[in-house]
PDB file of all heavy atoms in Angstrom:
ATOM      1  N   LYS A 279     -50.624   9.148-223.440  1.00  0.00           N
ATOM      2  CA  LYS A 279     -49.556  10.124-223.092  1.00  0.00           C
ATOM      3  C   LYS A 279     -48.482   9.364-222.192  1.00  0.00           C
ATOM      4  O   LYS A 279     -48.812   8.753-221.199  1.00  0.00           O
ATOM      5  CB  LYS A 279     -50.087  11.287-222.288  1.00  0.00           C
ATOM      6  CG  LYS A 279     -51.119  12.117-223.066  1.00  0.00           C
ATOM      7  CD  LYS A 279     -51.360  13.490-222.418  1.00  0.00           C
ATOM      8  CE  LYS A 279     -52.040  13.349-221.081  1.00  0.00           C
ATOM      9  NZ  LYS A 279     -53.439  12.941-221.118  1.00  0.00           N
ATOM     10  N   PRO A 285     -34.959   7.850-212.286  1.00  0.00           N
ATOM     11  CA  PRO A 285     -35.518   7.913-210.914  1.00  0.00           C
ATOM     12  C   PRO A 285     -34.654   8.877-210.051  1.00  0.00           C
ATOM     13  O   PRO A 285     -33.521   8.585-209.657  1.00  0.00           O
ATOM     14  CB  PRO A 285     -35.445   6.505-210.384  1.00  0.00           C
ATOM     15  CG  PRO A 285     -34.380   5.844-211.224  1.00  0.00           C
ATOM     16  CD  PRO A 285     -34.408   6.486-212.586  1.00  0.00           C
ATOM     17  N   TRP A 290     -38.114  17.481-207.753  1.00  0.00           N
ATOM     18  CA  TRP A 290     -38.754  18.809-207.681  1.00  0.00           C
ATOM     19  C   TRP A 290     -40.233  18.657-208.082  1.00  0.00           C
ATOM     20  O   TRP A 290     -40.711  17.594-208.518  1.00  0.00           O
ATOM     21  CB  TRP A 290     -38.028  19.845-208.535  1.00  0.00           C
ATOM     22  CG  TRP A 290     -38.295  19.707-210.023  1.00  0.00           C
ATOM     23  CD1 TRP A 290     -38.061  18.632-210.838  1.00  0.00           C
ATOM     24  CD2 TRP A 290     -38.804  20.751-210.882  1.00  0.00           C
ATOM     25  NE1 TRP A 290     -38.393  18.883-212.138  1.00  0.00           N
ATOM     26  CE2 TRP A 290     -38.874  20.201-212.193  1.00  0.00           C
ATOM     27  CE3 TRP A 290     -39.221  22.060-210.697  1.00  0.00           C
ATOM     28  CZ2 TRP A 290     -39.343  20.988-213.316  1.00  0.00           C
ATOM     29  CZ3 TRP A 290     -39.700  22.807-211.794  1.00  0.00           C
ATOM     30  CH2 TRP A 290     -39.735  22.250-213.062  1.00  0.00           C
ATOM     31  N   ASP A 295     -45.708  16.865-211.349  1.00  0.00           N
ATOM     32  CA  ASP A 295     -46.685  17.388-212.304  1.00  0.00           C
ATOM     33  C   ASP A 295     -46.642  16.551-213.553  1.00  0.00           C
ATOM     34  O   ASP A 295     -47.674  16.149-214.156  1.00  0.00           O
ATOM     35  CB  ASP A 295     -46.370  18.816-212.605  1.00  0.00           C
ATOM     36  CG  ASP A 295     -47.337  19.362-213.680  1.00  0.00           C
ATOM     37  OD1 ASP A 295     -48.528  19.335-213.438  1.00  0.00           O
ATOM     38  OD2 ASP A 295     -46.840  19.887-214.714  1.00  0.00           O
ATOM     39  N   LEU A 296     -45.405  16.211-214.024  1.00  0.00           N
ATOM     40  CA  LEU A 296     -45.267  15.393-215.281  1.00  0.00           C
ATOM     41  C   LEU A 296     -45.853  14.014-215.050  1.00  0.00           C
ATOM     42  O   LEU A 296     -46.571  13.515-215.954  1.00  0.00           O
ATOM     43  CB  LEU A 296     -43.779  15.277-215.561  1.00  0.00           C
ATOM     44  CG  LEU A 296     -43.384  14.513-216.838  1.00  0.00           C
ATOM     45  CD1 LEU A 296     -43.919  15.207-218.107  1.00  0.00           C
ATOM     46  CD2 LEU A 296     -41.882  14.341-216.984  1.00  0.00           C
ATOM     47  N   TYR A 299     -49.677  14.168-215.225  1.00  0.00           N
ATOM     48  CA  TYR A 299     -50.232  14.591-216.502  1.00  0.00           C
ATOM     49  C   TYR A 299     -50.322  13.418-217.494  1.00  0.00           C
ATOM     50  O   TYR A 299     -51.206  13.449-218.405  1.00  0.00           O
ATOM     51  CB  TYR A 299     -49.333  15.671-217.129  1.00  0.00           C
ATOM     52  CG  TYR A 299     -49.878  16.264-218.435  1.00  0.00           C
ATOM     53  CD1 TYR A 299     -51.001  17.089-218.406  1.00  0.00           C
ATOM     54  CD2 TYR A 299     -49.236  16.022-219.637  1.00  0.00           C
ATOM     55  CE1 TYR A 299     -51.476  17.627-219.591  1.00  0.00           C
ATOM     56  CE2 TYR A 299     -49.740  16.574-220.830  1.00  0.00           C
ATOM     57  CZ  TYR A 299     -50.817  17.374-220.749  1.00  0.00           C
ATOM     58  OH  TYR A 299     -51.351  17.923-221.944  1.00  0.00           O
ATOM     59  N   ILE A 304     -42.534   6.048-217.287  1.00  0.00           N
ATOM     60  CA  ILE A 304     -41.502   5.044-217.282  1.00  0.00           C
ATOM     61  C   ILE A 304     -40.280   5.509-216.473  1.00  0.00           C
ATOM     62  O   ILE A 304     -39.744   6.554-216.746  1.00  0.00           O
ATOM     63  CB  ILE A 304     -41.059   4.794-218.747  1.00  0.00           C
ATOM     64  CG1 ILE A 304     -42.204   4.522-219.669  1.00  0.00           C
ATOM     65  CG2 ILE A 304     -40.023   3.618-218.784  1.00  0.00           C
ATOM     66  CD1 ILE A 304     -42.972   3.253-219.352  1.00  0.00           C
ATOM     67  N   GLN A 310     -26.726   4.653-217.982  1.00  0.00           N
ATOM     68  CA  GLN A 310     -25.575   4.991-217.115  1.00  0.00           C
ATOM     69  C   GLN A 310     -25.928   6.032-216.089  1.00  0.00           C
ATOM     70  O   GLN A 310     -26.616   7.044-216.379  1.00  0.00           O
ATOM     71  CB  GLN A 310     -24.434   5.502-218.011  1.00  0.00           C
ATOM     72  CG  GLN A 310     -23.029   5.356-217.404  1.00  0.00           C
ATOM     73  CD  GLN A 310     -22.531   3.904-217.483  1.00  0.00           C
ATOM     74  OE1 GLN A 310     -23.024   3.109-218.251  1.00  0.00           O
ATOM     75  NE2 GLN A 310     -21.520   3.636-216.677  1.00  0.00           N
ATOM     76  N   ILE A 363     -31.873  12.631-191.813  1.00  0.00           N
ATOM     77  CA  ILE A 363     -32.984  12.863-190.901  1.00  0.00           C
ATOM     78  C   ILE A 363     -32.751  14.025-189.966  1.00  0.00           C
ATOM     79  O   ILE A 363     -33.620  14.877-189.728  1.00  0.00           O
ATOM     80  CB  ILE A 363     -33.297  11.563-190.049  1.00  0.00           C
ATOM     81  CG1 ILE A 363     -33.969  10.548-191.012  1.00  0.00           C
ATOM     82  CG2 ILE A 363     -34.228  11.872-188.944  1.00  0.00           C
ATOM     83  CD1 ILE A 363     -34.169   9.225-190.390  1.00  0.00           C
ATOM     84  N   LYS A 364     -31.541  14.027-189.413  1.00  0.00           N
ATOM     85  CA  LYS A 364     -31.226  15.169-188.475  1.00  0.00           C
ATOM     86  C   LYS A 364     -31.232  16.509-189.158  1.00  0.00           C
ATOM     87  O   LYS A 364     -31.677  17.464-188.590  1.00  0.00           O
ATOM     88  CB  LYS A 364     -29.806  14.904-187.827  1.00  0.00           C
ATOM     89  CG  LYS A 364     -29.845  13.750-186.809  1.00  0.00           C
ATOM     90  CD  LYS A 364     -28.456  13.621-186.187  1.00  0.00           C
ATOM     91  CE  LYS A 364     -28.407  12.531-185.124  1.00  0.00           C
ATOM     92  NZ  LYS A 364     -27.070  12.371-184.493  1.00  0.00           N
ATOM     93  N   GLU A 367     -34.943  17.399-189.781  1.00  0.00           N
ATOM     94  CA  GLU A 367     -35.595  17.717-188.508  1.00  0.00           C
ATOM     95  C   GLU A 367     -35.191  19.053-187.972  1.00  0.00           C
ATOM     96  O   GLU A 367     -35.982  19.827-187.501  1.00  0.00           O
ATOM     97  CB  GLU A 367     -35.388  16.583-187.519  1.00  0.00           C
ATOM     98  CG  GLU A 367     -36.139  15.315-187.863  1.00  0.00           C
ATOM     99  CD  GLU A 367     -35.959  14.216-186.864  1.00  0.00           C
ATOM    100  OE1 GLU A 367     -35.108  14.328-185.993  1.00  0.00           O
ATOM    101  OE2 GLU A 367     -36.756  13.213-186.899  1.00  0.00           O
ATOM    102  N   LYS A 371     -38.404  21.593-188.325  1.00  0.00           N
ATOM    103  CA  LYS A 371     -39.194  21.294-187.157  1.00  0.00           C
ATOM    104  C   LYS A 371     -40.257  22.355-186.835  1.00  0.00           C
ATOM    105  O   LYS A 371     -41.251  22.111-186.058  1.00  0.00           O
ATOM    106  CB  LYS A 371     -38.253  21.054-185.941  1.00  0.00           C
ATOM    107  CG  LYS A 371     -37.439  22.276-185.586  1.00  0.00           C
ATOM    108  CD  LYS A 371     -36.480  21.913-184.446  1.00  0.00           C
ATOM    109  CE  LYS A 371     -35.540  23.049-184.091  1.00  0.00           C
ATOM    110  NZ  LYS A 371     -34.592  22.675-183.009  1.00  0.00           N
ATOM    111  N   SER A 395     -31.683   2.919-207.264  1.00  0.00           N
ATOM    112  CA  SER A 395     -32.872   3.100-208.008  1.00  0.00           C
ATOM    113  C   SER A 395     -34.125   2.700-207.169  1.00  0.00           C
ATOM    114  O   SER A 395     -35.126   3.422-207.153  1.00  0.00           O
ATOM    115  CB  SER A 395     -32.870   2.234-209.293  1.00  0.00           C
ATOM    116  OG  SER A 395     -34.078   2.272-209.985  1.00  0.00           O
ATOM    117  N   ASN A 398     -34.743   5.435-204.426  1.00  0.00           N
ATOM    118  CA  ASN A 398     -35.369   6.609-204.949  1.00  0.00           C
ATOM    119  C   ASN A 398     -36.869   6.373-205.376  1.00  0.00           C
ATOM    120  O   ASN A 398     -37.722   7.198-205.113  1.00  0.00           O
ATOM    121  CB  ASN A 398     -34.588   7.161-206.130  1.00  0.00           C
ATOM    122  CG  ASN A 398     -33.282   7.820-205.717  1.00  0.00           C
ATOM    123  OD1 ASN A 398     -33.082   8.168-204.558  1.00  0.00           O
ATOM    124  ND2 ASN A 398     -32.417   8.049-206.657  1.00  0.00           N
ATOM    125  N   THR A 399     -37.068   5.266-206.019  1.00  0.00           N
ATOM    126  CA  THR A 399     -38.392   5.015-206.536  1.00  0.00           C
ATOM    127  C   THR A 399     -39.426   4.694-205.401  1.00  0.00           C
ATOM    128  O   THR A 399     -40.598   5.019-205.472  1.00  0.00           O
ATOM    129  CB  THR A 399     -38.457   3.885-207.598  1.00  0.00           C
ATOM    130  OG1 THR A 399     -37.849   2.752-207.082  1.00  0.00           O
ATOM    131  CG2 THR A 399     -37.765   4.336-208.859  1.00  0.00           C
ATOM    132  N   ILE A 401     -39.307   6.203-202.526  1.00  0.00           N
ATOM    133  CA  ILE A 401     -39.680   7.569-202.064  1.00  0.00           C
ATOM    134  C   ILE A 401     -40.770   8.188-203.023  1.00  0.00           C
ATOM    135  O   ILE A 401     -41.726   8.685-202.533  1.00  0.00           O
ATOM    136  CB  ILE A 401     -38.452   8.489-202.004  1.00  0.00           C
ATOM    137  CG1 ILE A 401     -37.502   7.998-200.878  1.00  0.00           C
ATOM    138  CG2 ILE A 401     -38.849   9.996-201.775  1.00  0.00           C
ATOM    139  CD1 ILE A 401     -36.132   8.736-200.852  1.00  0.00           C
ATOM    140  N   ILE A 405     -44.793   8.864-202.018  1.00  0.00           N
ATOM    141  CA  ILE A 405     -45.300  10.188-202.026  1.00  0.00           C
ATOM    142  C   ILE A 405     -46.475  10.289-203.030  1.00  0.00           C
ATOM    143  O   ILE A 405     -47.483  10.994-202.715  1.00  0.00           O
ATOM    144  CB  ILE A 405     -44.239  11.225-202.282  1.00  0.00           C
ATOM    145  CG1 ILE A 405     -43.232  11.225-201.065  1.00  0.00           C
ATOM    146  CG2 ILE A 405     -44.808  12.666-202.525  1.00  0.00           C
ATOM    147  CD1 ILE A 405     -42.022  12.148-201.311  1.00  0.00           C
ATOM    148  N   LEU A 406     -46.357   9.741-204.174  1.00  0.00           N
ATOM    149  CA  LEU A 406     -47.460   9.750-205.174  1.00  0.00           C
ATOM    150  C   LEU A 406     -48.738   9.246-204.530  1.00  0.00           C
ATOM    151  O   LEU A 406     -49.822   9.830-204.702  1.00  0.00           O
ATOM    152  CB  LEU A 406     -47.083   8.907-206.383  1.00  0.00           C
ATOM    153  CG  LEU A 406     -46.048   9.455-207.304  1.00  0.00           C
ATOM    154  CD1 LEU A 406     -45.690   8.388-208.394  1.00  0.00           C
ATOM    155  CD2 LEU A 406     -46.484  10.709-208.056  1.00  0.00           C
ATOM    156  N   ASP A 410     -52.227  11.461-203.754  1.00  0.00           N
ATOM    157  CA  ASP A 410     -53.313  11.031-204.629  1.00  0.00           C
ATOM    158  C   ASP A 410     -53.003  11.252-206.158  1.00  0.00           C
ATOM    159  O   ASP A 410     -53.806  11.780-206.882  1.00  0.00           O
ATOM    160  CB  ASP A 410     -54.605  11.789-204.273  1.00  0.00           C
ATOM    161  CG  ASP A 410     -55.839  11.137-204.883  1.00  0.00           C
ATOM    162  OD1 ASP A 410     -55.831   9.942-205.133  1.00  0.00           O
ATOM    163  OD2 ASP A 410     -56.806  11.848-205.184  1.00  0.00           O
ATOM    164  N   VAL A 433     -35.190   7.515-226.597  1.00  0.00           N
ATOM    165  CA  VAL A 433     -36.574   7.906-226.275  1.00  0.00           C
ATOM    166  C   VAL A 433     -37.515   7.504-227.355  1.00  0.00           C
ATOM    167  O   VAL A 433     -38.595   6.944-227.103  1.00  0.00           O
ATOM    168  CB  VAL A 433     -36.700   9.409-226.035  1.00  0.00           C
ATOM    169  CG1 VAL A 433     -38.179   9.846-225.952  1.00  0.00           C
ATOM    170  CG2 VAL A 433     -35.939   9.786-224.747  1.00  0.00           C
ATOM    171  N   GLU A 453     -33.241  19.937-226.979  1.00  0.00           N
ATOM    172  CA  GLU A 453     -32.132  19.811-227.843  1.00  0.00           C
ATOM    173  C   GLU A 453     -31.893  18.346-228.183  1.00  0.00           C
ATOM    174  O   GLU A 453     -31.582  18.020-229.400  1.00  0.00           O
ATOM    175  CB  GLU A 453     -30.874  20.399-227.188  1.00  0.00           C
ATOM    176  CG  GLU A 453     -29.654  20.403-228.100  1.00  0.00           C
ATOM    177  CD  GLU A 453     -28.431  21.045-227.473  1.00  0.00           C
ATOM    178  OE1 GLU A 453     -28.584  21.662-226.387  1.00  0.00           O
ATOM    179  OE2 GLU A 453     -27.332  20.947-228.017  1.00  0.00           O
ATOM    180  N   ILE A 467     -46.084  10.224-233.757  1.00  0.00           N
ATOM    181  CA  ILE A 467     -45.977  10.408-232.328  1.00  0.00           C
ATOM    182  C   ILE A 467     -45.922  11.946-232.076  1.00  0.00           C
ATOM    183  O   ILE A 467     -44.974  12.558-232.500  1.00  0.00           O
ATOM    184  CB  ILE A 467     -44.809   9.709-231.697  1.00  0.00           C
ATOM    185  CG1 ILE A 467     -44.902   8.162-231.910  1.00  0.00           C
ATOM    186  CG2 ILE A 467     -44.708   9.999-230.234  1.00  0.00           C
ATOM    187  CD1 ILE A 467     -43.669   7.434-231.517  1.00  0.00           C
ATOM    188  N   PRO A 477     -44.822  27.226-208.760  1.00  0.00           N
ATOM    189  CA  PRO A 477     -45.774  27.993-207.896  1.00  0.00           C
ATOM    190  C   PRO A 477     -45.116  28.448-206.679  1.00  0.00           C
ATOM    191  O   PRO A 477     -44.083  27.847-206.147  1.00  0.00           O
ATOM    192  CB  PRO A 477     -46.835  26.934-207.549  1.00  0.00           C
ATOM    193  CG  PRO A 477     -46.143  25.617-207.710  1.00  0.00           C
ATOM    194  CD  PRO A 477     -45.160  25.798-208.772  1.00  0.00           C
ATOM    195  N   ASN A 485     -37.908  34.927-197.888  1.00  0.00           N
ATOM    196  CA  ASN A 485     -37.352  34.715-199.270  1.00  0.00           C
ATOM    197  C   ASN A 485     -37.744  33.360-199.821  1.00  0.00           C
ATOM    198  O   ASN A 485     -37.038  32.338-199.536  1.00  0.00           O
ATOM    199  CB  ASN A 485     -35.853  34.887-199.252  1.00  0.00           C
ATOM    200  CG  ASN A 485     -35.361  36.207-198.714  1.00  0.00           C
ATOM    201  OD1 ASN A 485     -35.996  37.229-199.115  1.00  0.00           O
ATOM    202  ND2 ASN A 485     -34.339  36.180-197.903  1.00  0.00           N
ATOM    203  N   PHE A 493     -39.719  17.310-200.607  1.00  0.00           N
ATOM    204  CA  PHE A 493     -39.788  17.364-199.125  1.00  0.00           C
ATOM    205  C   PHE A 493     -40.173  18.716-198.632  1.00  0.00           C
ATOM    206  O   PHE A 493     -40.930  18.833-197.711  1.00  0.00           O
ATOM    207  CB  PHE A 493     -38.427  16.964-198.563  1.00  0.00           C
ATOM    208  CG  PHE A 493     -37.988  15.503-198.783  1.00  0.00           C
ATOM    209  CD1 PHE A 493     -36.694  15.064-198.514  1.00  0.00           C
ATOM    210  CD2 PHE A 493     -38.873  14.588-199.240  1.00  0.00           C
ATOM    211  CE1 PHE A 493     -36.288  13.815-198.739  1.00  0.00           C
ATOM    212  CE2 PHE A 493     -38.509  13.254-199.477  1.00  0.00           C
ATOM    213  CZ  PHE A 493     -37.197  12.875-199.219  1.00  0.00           C
ATOM    214  N   GLY A 511     -48.556  25.101-211.346  1.00  0.00           N
ATOM    215  CA  GLY A 511     -47.532  25.484-212.256  1.00  0.00           C
ATOM    216  C   GLY A 511     -47.635  24.805-213.656  1.00  0.00           C
ATOM    217  O   GLY A 511     -46.778  24.982-214.497  1.00  0.00           O
ATOM    218  N   ARG A 512     -48.728  24.069-213.880  1.00  0.00           N
ATOM    219  CA  ARG A 512     -48.786  23.209-215.094  1.00  0.00           C
ATOM    220  C   ARG A 512     -48.978  24.036-216.401  1.00  0.00           C
ATOM    221  O   ARG A 512     -49.773  24.994-216.509  1.00  0.00           O
ATOM    222  CB  ARG A 512     -50.030  22.297-214.972  1.00  0.00           C
ATOM    223  CG  ARG A 512     -50.363  21.541-216.236  1.00  0.00           C
ATOM    224  CD  ARG A 512     -51.352  20.424-215.948  1.00  0.00           C
ATOM    225  NE  ARG A 512     -50.746  19.346-215.179  1.00  0.00           N
ATOM    226  CZ  ARG A 512     -51.333  18.210-214.795  1.00  0.00           C
ATOM    227  NH1 ARG A 512     -52.598  18.036-215.142  1.00  0.00           N
ATOM    228  NH2 ARG A 512     -50.750  17.325-214.070  1.00  0.00           N
ATOM    229  N   GLU A 518     -44.825  21.438-232.931  1.00  0.00           N
ATOM    230  CA  GLU A 518     -45.227  21.208-234.295  1.00  0.00           C
ATOM    231  C   GLU A 518     -43.994  20.686-235.033  1.00  0.00           C
ATOM    232  O   GLU A 518     -42.972  21.309-235.153  1.00  0.00           O
ATOM    233  CB  GLU A 518     -45.672  22.560-234.952  1.00  0.00           C
ATOM    234  CG  GLU A 518     -46.898  23.112-234.339  1.00  0.00           C
ATOM    235  CD  GLU A 518     -48.100  22.212-234.431  1.00  0.00           C
ATOM    236  OE1 GLU A 518     -48.218  21.362-235.341  1.00  0.00           O
ATOM    237  OE2 GLU A 518     -48.963  22.307-233.508  1.00  0.00           O
TER     238      GLU A 518
END
Side-chain angles (χ1 to χ4, degrees):
K279 298 194 295 288
W290 76 302
D295 176 59
L296 182 63
Y299 186 70
I304 309 294
Q310 201 78 16
I363 287 173
K364 287 183 177 179
E367 289 183 344
K371 61 184 176 182
S395 177
N398 285 345
T399 54
I401 292 174
I405 292 175
L406 288 172
D410 196 29
V433 169
E453 184 177 351
I467 300 173
N485 303 318
F493 293 167
R512 171 167 293 179
E518 297 300 331

